Amino acid sequence: MKKKADSVFSQWVLNNRFSVGLINVLLTLIIILVFNRISFIFDPVNVFLGAVMPPVIVALLQYYLMNPVVNQLEKRFKVPRTITILAIFALVTLLIIWMINSMIPVVQNQIDSLVKNWPAIWKNATEAIDDLLSKPKLSGLRDSIQKQLTSLQKDMNQLTGSTISNAFSNLTNAVNVAASVFTTLATAPFILFFMLKDGSKLRPYLAHFAPKRWEQATSSLLSEVNRAMSSYVRGQVSVAICVGIMFFIGYTIIGEPYGAALAIAVGCLNLIPYFGTFLGLIPALIIASVTSIPLLVNVLIVFFIEQLVETRIISPLIVGNRLKMHPVTTIVVMLGAGSVWGLLGVIGGIPMYAVAKILVSHLFAYYKKVSHLYADSLTEQKAPEKGQPEKGQKEERENS
């Protein structure tokens, strides 16, 4: 009887893949619950990462922009990396000084004027909408839109009031934020210098910690992650700069008030895929609508030309589809990451997804290799083609 019970237990629990899978899921949930109960142990780690990660992220973004230049000068012209890095730092410093002396006063005046005149601009916009809705043909939409405008204005007033009150009540937090920004800007150049100087040694160093039989696969994984991150960062920043320049030129030609400030805002918001340019266009449309109808038409023409050049020339040429993400996947990732992490999630959700996709694909490839469930497909892949035994054997060695 005991042997029969043991055989039933072995058959339905120990030797049953479904039961083993459920047990593994249960153990995973228990581990997550335990870590959630003792999360206070990781508070020092969170504080440490909160202090270290901002300058590292800033340095990493600049690293992906500058490293190709350093590599090309070292490879083609045999220029030492240290000399190239110092020359780039000097050039960037001169560029920042020029921007402070030339561009920032103009942008600051436009931003101050825009903030000062925004209540009047908003009032004129609401009055124009009221006049439009007073027509009999639009009487059905009048109440609904009026409620939305009233709610939006109320929310803006509450937000402004709470921001001002919080600014005075949370002066300590403001000082901490200022200190954090200063620390980030002061330490990021040092981190960037050593990243550019010794960054090529990091991948072999990290791969060295993997077991010997996984060392090559780990090195390949790190290299693929690095390529994906560098492609995304360089592509997005380059496109954002081009978009800002195009809008600045267009706004200058049509005489858009606050053109420099609006162009910089559109360039920064363009880091948000698909929606960034449209968000940056809203203030320009509001300002143009209360200024004159011809200016509104000109703003739309500038936007149409910019979108045509960006989608047809700049984005395919600079970014392409290097991450191999479907537009629907991109939008879903942005919405999900934005709901969890806010603006940082919207901006960083796509590269995080790209890295996670690479990790999952490599793990799945390893699982297919060690699991018996995919033995038939692996046999078909490894089988050499007719008349090409050497090529098949070579591909098999490369995949392994």
Side-chain angles (χ1 to χ4, degrees), residues 1-15:
M1 188 72 178
K2 186 177 180 181
K3 288 184 178 180
K4 185 177 181 181
D6 292 340
S7 62
V8 171
F9 179 77
S10 300
Q11 181 181 358
W12 288 96
V13 179
L14 298 181
N15 296 328

Side-chain angles (χ1 to χ4, degrees), residues 103-391:
M103 295 294 296
I104 290 184
V106 177
V107 177
Q108 183 179 2
N109 291 334
Q110 291 191 3
I111 292 175
D112 292 340
S113 178
L114 179 60
V115 172
K116 182 179 179 180
N117 297 327
W118 181 255
I121 294 172
W122 180 259
K123 181 180 178 181
N124 294 333
T126 53
E127 289 178 354
I129 295 175
D130 290 338
D131 294 338
L132 181 64
L133 294 177
S134 62
K135 297 181 179 181
K137 294 181 179 180
L138 300 177
S139 58
L141 298 175
R142 185 183 307 158
D143 296 336
S144 177
I145 296 179
Q146 188 64 39
K147 289 181 181 179
Q148 295 296 329
L149 290 175
T150 304
S151 176
L152 179 60
Q153 187 174 7
K154 183 179 178 181
D155 293 340
M156 291 180 64
N157 294 333
Q158 291 178 354
L159 179 61
T160 304
S162 62
T163 302
I164 295 175
S165 61
N166 290 335
F168 286 102
S169 61
N170 299 328
L171 184 60
T172 304
N173 293 335
V175 172
N176 292 335
V177 171
S180 177
V181 171
F182 176 78
T183 303
T184 300
L185 297 178
T187 56
F190 295 97
I191 300 175
L192 175 62
F193 175 82
F194 289 103
M195 279 185 175
L196 292 172
K197 183 176 179 294
D198 302 322
S200 58
K201 302 176 183 178
L202 182 60
R203 181 167 55 88
Y205 177 77
L206 294 177
H208 180 70
F209 289 96
K212 196 65 179 177
R213 61 193 182 98
W214 292 349
E215 189 171 341
Q216 185 177 358
T218 304
S219 178
S220 175
L221 172 64
L222 294 175
S223 179
E224 191 172 348
V225 169
N226 180 64
R227 284 197 301 270
M229 292 293 293
S230 62
S231 298
Y232 179 79
V233 171
R234 288 201 297 265
Q236 289 299 117
V237 173
S238 300
V239 171
I241 293 173
C242 293
V243 167
I245 292 173
M246 284 191 295
F247 270 107
F248 176 75
I249 295 173
Y251 287 160
T252 303
I253 293 174
I254 66 175
E256 165 73 37
Y258 324 110
L262 293 173
I264 292 176
V266 174
C268 295
L269 289 172
N270 193 259
L271 295 174
I272 303 175
Y274 294 105
F275 303 111
T277 305
F278 295 96
L279 293 176
L281 184 66
I282 293 174
L285 291 176
I286 294 175
I287 294 171
S289 63
V290 299
T291 303
S292 64
I293 297 300
L295 182 60
L296 178 61
V297 175
N298 290 332
V299 169
L300 292 175
I301 292 174
V302 169
F303 171 72
F304 175 77
I305 295 174
E306 183 278 330
Q307 282 294 296
L308 186 64
V309 175
E310 179 187 353
T311 56
R312 298 293 182 180
I313 300 175
I314 296 179
S315 292
L317 185 64
I318 296 178
V319 180
N321 193 17
R322 298 176 184 177
L323 297 183
K324 298 179 181 179
M325 291 180 60
H326 194 276
V328 175
T329 304
T330 303
I331 295 174
V332 170
V333 170
M334 287 173 53
L335 293 176
S339 63
V340 177
W341 295 294
L343 180 60
L344 294 178
V346 173
I347 297 175
I350 294 177
M352 288 190 295
Y353 171 82
V355 173
K357 180 181 177 182
I358 293 171
L359 294 176
V360 171
S361 63
H362 278 258
L363 289 175
F364 183 66
Y366 175 75
Y367 177 74
K368 287 176 63 176
K369 185 178 178 180
V370 300
S371 175
H372 299 291
L373 299 176
Y374 300 90
D376 296 336
S377 60
L378 288 176
T379 303
E380 293 177 0
Q381 292 176 2
K382 291 182 179 181
E385 298 179 2
K386 270 189 175 182
Q388 295 181 344
E390 295 183 358
K391 182 178 178 181

